Amino acid sequence: MSVPNGHYVPVGGREGLAAAAKLMPWSVALGRGDPAWDGVDRTNAAWQSSLQPDAAQARALVAEYGRRLADEVAFVVPDPDGEITEVPGGRWRRTGTEVSAFLYVRAFLDFNDATDIVREIGLFADGSAVAGTPPGLRWWGPAELDRPGHLMQLVRLAVPRTYDAGDRPQFHFVMPF
């Protein structure tokens, strides 16, 4: 990774950032997005490029309705034989306690967490619930957020998804540093 004036963030620096980030609470948020997106060919390159400036500048989801605390945050490395296959773009292997420049974040939603339409999914770091939220609560609505945290990855679905009370979806991300 390069920064201005020929300075670089070497692997050791990226590993340090990943180690610090691993200590933060991570969550996966779901958003209704913009209903105007429906009925548009979202696989079309023109549609995708029209969303890029907006997505690149995003700090929040469009119409977020809830988020789930991550069930797992682990260091991973690319590995063609790795056990993690749910992340687009390759396979990954957990490193155990060995620090790497990649974090794997996984969240399982409970049966009644996501019962609304989903057009966007966001990976957030360092968010927190309002004071007095019951300990152990893993699904927060917008009113229960004290600090939303930092939007680290944003996925806008080509086809909106609706989950019902019988679904227990899981979300997987690899966050490079």
Side-chain angles (χ1 to χ4, degrees):
M1 170 186 277
S2 66
V3 292
N5 301 321
H7 295 262
Y8 296 88
V9 180
V11 170
R14 295 180 337 161
E15 289 172 346
L17 291 170
K22 187 176 185 293
L23 300 175
M24 297 178 191
W26 288 79
S27 58
V28 174
L30 304 179
R32 292 179 192 93
D34 185 346
W37 299 342
D38 295 350
V40 176
D41 179 6
R42 297 208 262 167
T43 60
N44 175 311
W47 183 86
Q48 291 178 0
S49 65
S50 73
L51 283 183
Q52 289 298 64
D54 175 45
Q57 298 301 316
R59 288 191 166 82
L61 298 184
V62 175
E64 177 181 336
Y65 67 85
R67 63 177 64 196
R68 179 78 177 186
L69 283 175
D71 294 290
E72 179 183 8
V73 180
F75 294 113
V76 294
V77 293
D79 183 339
D81 298 319
E83 74 277 9
I84 298 170
T85 60
E86 301 87 2
V87 181
R91 297 173 72 123
W92 300 85
R93 174 180 52 80
R94 290 172 184 84
T95 66
T97 58
E98 180 186 336
V99 175
S100 80
F102 301 95
L103 287 181
Y104 170 65
V105 181
R106 178 178 58 134
F108 288 94
L109 271 61
D110 209 347
F111 291 108
N112 292 311
D113 287 349
T115 55
D116 204 337
I117 194 163
V118 178
R119 291 182 185 91
E120 288 187 305
I121 303 164
L123 176 65
F124 283 83
D126 205 28
S128 64
V130 295
T133 300
L137 185 66
R138 301 192 59 80
W139 174 260
W140 304 335
E144 295 158 320
L145 284 176
D146 175 46
R147 187 180 67 247
H150 307 284
L151 179 58
M152 304 298 283
Q153 288 189 27
L154 173 61
V155 177
R156 289 194 169 146
L157 301 176
V159 177
R161 177 74 199 261
T162 302
Y163 299 103
D164 62 36
D167 290 328
R168 188 156 191 238
Q170 50 183 307
F171 299 95
H172 307 263
F173 293 87
V174 170
M175 184 67 222
F177 287 89

